[in-house]
mmCIF file of all heavy atoms in Angstrom:
data_model
loop_
_atom_site.group_PDB
_atom_site.id
_atom_site.type_symbol
_atom_site.label_atom_id
_atom_site.label_comp_id
_atom_site.label_asym_id
_atom_site.label_seq_id
_atom_site.Cartn_x
_atom_site.Cartn_y
_atom_site.Cartn_z
ATOM 1 N N SER U 1 103.535 120.778 102.615
ATOM 2 C CA SER U 1 102.453 120.325 101.746
ATOM 3 C C SER U 1 103.039 119.464 100.632
ATOM 4 O O SER U 1 104.203 119.586 100.262
ATOM 5 C CB SER U 1 101.695 121.517 101.174
ATOM 6 O OG SER U 1 102.553 122.299 100.363
ATOM 7 N N ASP U 2 102.196 118.568 100.121
ATOM 8 C CA ASP U 2 102.647 117.647 99.087
ATOM 9 C C ASP U 2 101.560 117.517 98.028
ATOM 10 O O ASP U 2 100.647 118.341 97.958
ATOM 11 C CB ASP U 2 103.026 116.294 99.698
ATOM 12 C CG ASP U 2 101.903 115.666 100.498
ATOM 13 O OD1 ASP U 2 100.725 116.020 100.288
ATOM 14 O OD2 ASP U 2 102.187 114.807 101.345
ATOM 15 N N VAL U 3 101.612 116.468 97.253
ATOM 16 C CA VAL U 3 100.672 116.273 96.151
ATOM 17 C C VAL U 3 99.215 116.225 96.634
ATOM 18 O O VAL U 3 98.299 116.587 95.911
ATOM 19 C CB VAL U 3 101.059 115.014 95.335
ATOM 20 C CG1 VAL U 3 100.822 113.746 96.147
ATOM 21 C CG2 VAL U 3 100.310 114.968 94.025
ATOM 22 N N ARG U 4 98.994 115.809 97.896
ATOM 23 C CA ARG U 4 97.631 115.696 98.429
ATOM 24 C C ARG U 4 96.956 117.057 98.604
ATOM 25 O O ARG U 4 95.743 117.128 98.701
ATOM 26 C CB ARG U 4 97.640 114.968 99.771
ATOM 27 C CG ARG U 4 98.120 113.541 99.694
ATOM 28 C CD ARG U 4 98.243 112.981 101.117
ATOM 29 N NE ARG U 4 99.055 111.798 101.158
ATOM 30 C CZ ARG U 4 100.360 111.787 101.421
ATOM 31 N NH1 ARG U 4 101.005 112.885 101.666
ATOM 32 N NH2 ARG U 4 101.019 110.654 101.436
ATOM 33 N N THR U 5 97.736 118.115 98.716
ATOM 34 C CA THR U 5 97.157 119.442 98.964
ATOM 35 C C THR U 5 97.225 120.365 97.746
ATOM 36 O O THR U 5 96.904 121.542 97.860
ATOM 37 C CB THR U 5 97.847 120.108 100.169
ATOM 38 O OG1 THR U 5 99.254 120.160 99.920
ATOM 39 C CG2 THR U 5 97.582 119.346 101.452
ATOM 40 N N LEU U 6 97.646 119.815 96.600
ATOM 41 C CA LEU U 6 97.618 120.600 95.359
ATOM 42 C C LEU U 6 96.181 120.712 94.893
ATOM 43 O O LEU U 6 95.418 119.773 95.074
ATOM 44 C CB LEU U 6 98.457 119.918 94.270
ATOM 45 C CG LEU U 6 99.966 119.860 94.502
ATOM 46 C CD1 LEU U 6 100.621 119.022 93.414
ATOM 47 C CD2 LEU U 6 100.573 121.243 94.533
ATOM 48 N N PRO U 7 95.692 121.742 94.322
ATOM 49 C CA PRO U 7 96.364 123.003 94.024
ATOM 50 C C PRO U 7 96.171 124.065 95.111
ATOM 51 O O PRO U 7 96.468 125.226 94.890
ATOM 52 C CB PRO U 7 95.671 123.439 92.729
ATOM 53 C CG PRO U 7 94.258 122.993 92.923
ATOM 54 C CD PRO U 7 94.372 121.688 93.697
ATOM 55 N N VAL U 8 95.691 123.667 96.281
ATOM 56 C CA VAL U 8 95.448 124.643 97.353
ATOM 57 C C VAL U 8 96.748 125.331 97.763
ATOM 58 O O VAL U 8 96.786 126.549 97.954
ATOM 59 C CB VAL U 8 94.780 123.969 98.576
ATOM 60 C CG1 VAL U 8 94.585 124.960 99.705
ATOM 61 C CG2 VAL U 8 93.456 123.334 98.181
ATOM 62 N N TYR U 9 97.837 124.542 97.901
ATOM 63 C CA TYR U 9 99.141 125.080 98.294
ATOM 64 C C TYR U 9 100.202 124.610 97.310
ATOM 65 O O TYR U 9 100.121 123.491 96.803
ATOM 66 C CB TYR U 9 99.546 124.577 99.695
ATOM 67 C CG TYR U 9 98.556 124.878 100.767
ATOM 68 C CD1 TYR U 9 97.781 123.867 101.315
ATOM 69 C CD2 TYR U 9 98.382 126.168 101.233
ATOM 70 C CE1 TYR U 9 96.854 124.132 102.313
ATOM 71 C CE2 TYR U 9 97.455 126.448 102.230
ATOM 72 C CZ TYR U 9 96.704 125.426 102.760
ATOM 73 O OH TYR U 9 95.789 125.701 103.738
ATOM 74 N N ARG U 10 101.190 125.437 97.107
ATOM 75 C CA ARG U 10 102.353 124.995 96.333
ATOM 76 C C ARG U 10 103.077 123.935 97.141
ATOM 77 O O ARG U 10 103.126 123.999 98.380
ATOM 78 C CB ARG U 10 103.284 126.164 96.053
ATOM 79 C CG ARG U 10 102.742 127.080 94.981
ATOM 80 C CD ARG U 10 103.695 128.161 94.526
ATOM 81 N NE ARG U 10 105.077 127.942 94.859
ATOM 82 C CZ ARG U 10 105.903 128.911 95.224
ATOM 83 N NH1 ARG U 10 105.483 130.151 95.308
ATOM 84 N NH2 ARG U 10 107.161 128.649 95.500
ATOM 85 N N ARG U 11 103.627 122.958 96.471
ATOM 86 C CA ARG U 11 104.359 121.874 97.137
ATOM 87 C C ARG U 11 105.460 122.466 98.015
ATOM 88 O O ARG U 11 106.183 123.360 97.608
ATOM 89 C CB ARG U 11 104.958 120.953 96.084
ATOM 90 C CG ARG U 11 105.365 119.641 96.630
ATOM 91 C CD ARG U 11 105.888 118.753 95.522
ATOM 92 N NE ARG U 11 105.840 117.398 96.010
ATOM 93 C CZ ARG U 11 105.402 116.368 95.330
ATOM 94 N NH1 ARG U 11 104.976 116.519 94.109
ATOM 95 N NH2 ARG U 11 105.406 115.175 95.871
ATOM 96 N N GLY U 12 105.553 121.982 99.264
ATOM 97 C CA GLY U 12 106.569 122.448 100.194
ATOM 98 C C GLY U 12 106.125 123.558 101.127
ATOM 99 O O GLY U 12 106.866 123.955 102.022
ATOM 100 N N THR U 13 104.894 124.054 100.960
ATOM 101 C CA THR U 13 104.365 125.092 101.850
ATOM 102 C C THR U 13 104.151 124.493 103.240
ATOM 103 O O THR U 13 103.615 123.389 103.371
ATOM 104 C CB THR U 13 103.015 125.626 101.312
ATOM 105 O OG1 THR U 13 103.218 126.123 99.989
ATOM 106 C CG2 THR U 13 102.450 126.708 102.208
ATOM 107 N N GLU U 14 104.548 125.206 104.292
ATOM 108 C CA GLU U 14 104.345 124.711 105.651
ATOM 109 C C GLU U 14 102.862 124.815 106.014
ATOM 110 O O GLU U 14 102.260 125.880 105.906
ATOM 111 C CB GLU U 14 105.185 125.493 106.659
ATOM 112 C CG GLU U 14 105.118 124.906 108.055
ATOM 113 C CD GLU U 14 106.029 125.612 109.045
ATOM 114 O OE1 GLU U 14 106.460 126.747 108.771
ATOM 115 O OE2 GLU U 14 106.293 125.026 110.102
ATOM 116 N N ILE U 15 102.276 123.672 106.414
ATOM 117 C CA ILE U 15 100.863 123.614 106.789
ATOM 118 C C ILE U 15 100.708 122.793 108.067
ATOM 119 O O ILE U 15 101.629 122.099 108.492
ATOM 120 C CB ILE U 15 99.981 122.996 105.665
ATOM 121 C CG1 ILE U 15 100.432 121.562 105.352
ATOM 122 C CG2 ILE U 15 100.004 123.867 104.424
ATOM 123 C CD1 ILE U 15 99.519 120.815 104.383
ATOM 124 N N ARG U 16 99.539 122.866 108.685
ATOM 125 C CA ARG U 16 99.214 122.080 109.883
ATOM 126 C C ARG U 16 99.317 120.599 109.548
ATOM 127 O O ARG U 16 98.871 120.156 108.492
ATOM 128 C CB ARG U 16 97.793 122.432 110.327
ATOM 129 C CG ARG U 16 97.291 121.635 111.500
ATOM 130 C CD ARG U 16 97.854 122.176 112.775
ATOM 131 N NE ARG U 16 97.182 121.545 113.902
ATOM 132 C CZ ARG U 16 97.801 121.276 115.027
ATOM 133 N NH1 ARG U 16 99.052 121.611 115.193
ATOM 134 N NH2 ARG U 16 97.165 120.722 116.017
ATOM 135 N N ASN U 17 99.877 119.817 110.432
ATOM 136 C CA ASN U 17 100.030 118.378 110.212
ATOM 137 C C ASN U 17 98.815 117.628 110.767
ATOM 138 O O ASN U 17 98.710 117.422 111.967
ATOM 139 C CB ASN U 17 101.306 117.859 110.878
ATOM 140 C CG ASN U 17 101.562 116.405 110.571
ATOM 141 O OD1 ASN U 17 100.884 115.792 109.751
ATOM 142 N ND2 ASN U 17 102.554 115.838 111.232
ATOM 143 N N VAL U 18 97.918 117.260 109.889
ATOM 144 C CA VAL U 18 96.767 116.444 110.291
ATOM 145 C C VAL U 18 96.970 114.993 109.847
ATOM 146 O O VAL U 18 96.051 114.185 109.884
ATOM 147 C CB VAL U 18 95.440 117.008 109.737
ATOM 148 C CG1 VAL U 18 95.116 118.336 110.396
ATOM 149 C CG2 VAL U 18 95.484 117.143 108.231
ATOM 150 N N ARG U 19 98.204 114.670 109.432
ATOM 151 C CA ARG U 19 98.587 113.317 109.024
ATOM 152 C C ARG U 19 99.668 112.798 109.976
ATOM 153 O O ARG U 19 100.664 112.235 109.552
ATOM 154 C CB ARG U 19 99.099 113.312 107.588
ATOM 155 C CG ARG U 19 98.098 113.800 106.565
ATOM 156 C CD ARG U 19 98.670 113.796 105.167
ATOM 157 N NE ARG U 19 99.064 112.480 104.729
ATOM 158 C CZ ARG U 19 98.241 111.557 104.221
ATOM 159 N NH1 ARG U 19 96.958 111.821 104.112
ATOM 160 N NH2 ARG U 19 98.685 110.386 103.851
ATOM 161 N N GLN U 20 99.460 113.002 111.287
ATOM 162 C CA GLN U 20 100.471 112.617 112.272
ATOM 163 C C GLN U 20 100.591 111.106 112.417
ATOM 164 O O GLN U 20 101.652 110.592 112.771
ATOM 165 C CB GLN U 20 100.139 113.223 113.633
ATOM 166 C CG GLN U 20 100.210 114.734 113.640
ATOM 167 C CD GLN U 20 99.716 115.320 114.952
ATOM 168 O OE1 GLN U 20 98.961 114.706 115.705
ATOM 169 N NE2 GLN U 20 100.134 116.549 115.226
ATOM 170 N N MET U 21 99.512 110.397 112.164
ATOM 171 C CA MET U 21 99.497 108.937 112.306
ATOM 172 C C MET U 21 98.634 108.336 111.201
ATOM 173 O O MET U 21 97.717 108.983 110.708
ATOM 174 C CB MET U 21 98.879 108.513 113.649
ATOM 175 C CG MET U 21 99.606 108.947 114.880
ATOM 176 S SD MET U 21 98.699 108.494 116.406
ATOM 177 C CE MET U 21 98.723 106.702 116.337
ATOM 178 N N THR U 22 98.916 107.074 110.891
ATOM 179 C CA THR U 22 98.054 106.299 110.004
ATOM 180 C C THR U 22 97.570 105.079 110.773
ATOM 181 O O THR U 22 98.360 104.386 111.420
ATOM 182 C CB THR U 22 98.815 105.845 108.745
ATOM 183 O OG1 THR U 22 99.263 106.991 108.041
ATOM 184 C CG2 THR U 22 97.928 105.022 107.837
ATOM 185 N N LEU U 23 96.267 104.840 110.711
ATOM 186 C CA LEU U 23 95.649 103.669 111.330
ATOM 187 C C LEU U 23 95.156 102.753 110.225
ATOM 188 O O LEU U 23 94.554 103.215 109.246
ATOM 189 C CB LEU U 23 94.461 104.075 112.199
ATOM 190 C CG LEU U 23 94.746 104.638 113.600
ATOM 191 C CD1 LEU U 23 95.658 105.830 113.560
ATOM 192 C CD2 LEU U 23 93.449 104.973 114.304
ATOM 193 N N ILE U 24 95.411 101.455 110.378
ATOM 194 C CA ILE U 24 94.936 100.461 109.428
ATOM 195 C C ILE U 24 94.174 99.376 110.177
ATOM 196 O O ILE U 24 94.248 99.283 111.411
ATOM 197 C CB ILE U 24 96.088 99.852 108.591
ATOM 198 C CG1 ILE U 24 97.148 99.211 109.497
ATOM 199 C CG2 ILE U 24 96.705 100.901 107.685
ATOM 200 C CD1 ILE U 24 98.243 98.476 108.747
ATOM 201 N N SER U 25 93.470 98.546 109.418
ATOM 202 C CA SER U 25 92.596 97.539 109.998
ATOM 203 C C SER U 25 93.057 96.131 109.637
ATOM 204 O O SER U 25 93.358 95.848 108.468
ATOM 205 C CB SER U 25 91.177 97.764 109.456
ATOM 206 O OG SER U 25 90.399 96.605 109.516
ATOM 207 N N THR U 26 93.076 95.245 110.620
ATOM 208 C CA THR U 26 93.393 93.836 110.375
ATOM 209 C C THR U 26 92.467 93.255 109.322
ATOM 210 O O THR U 26 92.913 92.619 108.364
ATOM 211 C CB THR U 26 93.241 93.024 111.688
ATOM 212 O OG1 THR U 26 94.149 93.543 112.650
ATOM 213 C CG2 THR U 26 93.517 91.557 111.468
ATOM 214 N N GLU U 27 91.183 93.505 109.482
ATOM 215 C CA GLU U 27 90.192 92.920 108.571
ATOM 216 C C GLU U 27 90.368 93.445 107.142
ATOM 217 O O GLU U 27 90.288 92.678 106.172
ATOM 218 C CB GLU U 27 88.767 93.212 109.073
ATOM 219 C CG GLU U 27 88.422 92.544 110.382
ATOM 220 C CD GLU U 27 88.844 93.329 111.641
ATOM 221 O OE1 GLU U 27 89.510 94.386 111.514
ATOM 222 O OE2 GLU U 27 88.514 92.880 112.748
ATOM 223 N N GLU U 28 90.624 94.742 107.012
ATOM 224 C CA GLU U 28 90.816 95.305 105.668
ATOM 225 C C GLU U 28 92.103 94.794 105.034
ATOM 226 O O GLU U 28 92.139 94.512 103.826
ATOM 227 C CB GLU U 28 90.796 96.833 105.725
ATOM 228 C CG GLU U 28 89.412 97.383 106.014
ATOM 229 C CD GLU U 28 89.355 98.888 106.182
ATOM 230 O OE1 GLU U 28 90.392 99.524 106.484
ATOM 231 O OE2 GLU U 28 88.252 99.438 106.005
ATOM 232 N N MET U 29 93.169 94.641 105.813
ATOM 233 C CA MET U 29 94.415 94.102 105.260
ATOM 234 C C MET U 29 94.229 92.645 104.822
ATOM 235 O O MET U 29 94.802 92.209 103.828
ATOM 236 C CB MET U 29 95.557 94.222 106.267
ATOM 237 C CG MET U 29 96.059 95.645 106.455
ATOM 238 S SD MET U 29 96.635 96.431 104.916
ATOM 239 C CE MET U 29 95.249 97.487 104.509
ATOM 240 N N GLU U 30 93.404 91.899 105.549
ATOM 241 C CA GLU U 30 93.098 90.523 105.124
ATOM 242 C C GLU U 30 92.345 90.535 103.801
ATOM 243 O O GLU U 30 92.620 89.717 102.919
ATOM 244 C CB GLU U 30 92.290 89.806 106.209
ATOM 245 C CG GLU U 30 93.109 89.492 107.442
ATOM 246 C CD GLU U 30 92.282 89.021 108.648
ATOM 247 O OE1 GLU U 30 91.024 89.073 108.587
ATOM 248 O OE2 GLU U 30 92.902 88.611 109.642
ATOM 249 N N ASP U 31 91.404 91.473 103.635
ATOM 250 C CA ASP U 31 90.657 91.602 102.375
ATOM 251 C C ASP U 31 91.604 91.929 101.217
ATOM 252 O O ASP U 31 91.496 91.349 100.129
ATOM 253 C CB ASP U 31 89.603 92.708 102.459
ATOM 254 C CG ASP U 31 88.437 92.365 103.365
ATOM 255 O OD1 ASP U 31 88.281 91.180 103.744
ATOM 256 O OD2 ASP U 31 87.668 93.297 103.699
ATOM 257 N N VAL U 32 92.518 92.863 101.433
ATOM 258 C CA VAL U 32 93.459 93.258 100.383
ATOM 259 C C VAL U 32 94.376 92.091 100.037
ATOM 260 O O VAL U 32 94.630 91.822 98.854
ATOM 261 C CB VAL U 32 94.275 94.510 100.799
ATOM 262 C CG1 VAL U 32 95.362 94.822 99.781
ATOM 263 C CG2 VAL U 32 93.361 95.707 100.999
#
């Protein structure tokens, strides 16, 4: 666990990995 799961878990607690991949969009990157 990291800052995204505070205060539910202390940092470093082993949790299920639901962040296995990140998907991004061509159109959104063009906007940014």
Side-chain angles (χ1 to χ4, degrees):
S1 63
D2 56 21
V3 69
R4 297 173 197 94
T5 56
L6 293 174
V8 177
Y9 304 108
R10 285 188 18 218
R11 197 177 199 136
T13 302
E14 186 176 18
I15 60 173
R16 176 79 170 146
N17 185 8
V18 292
R19 300 179 61 82
Q20 295 173 338
M21 297 175 64
T22 299
L23 281 56
I24 58 174
S25 157
T26 299
E27 294 86 355
E28 289 176 338
M29 287 302 102
E30 289 169 352
D31 290 346
V32 173

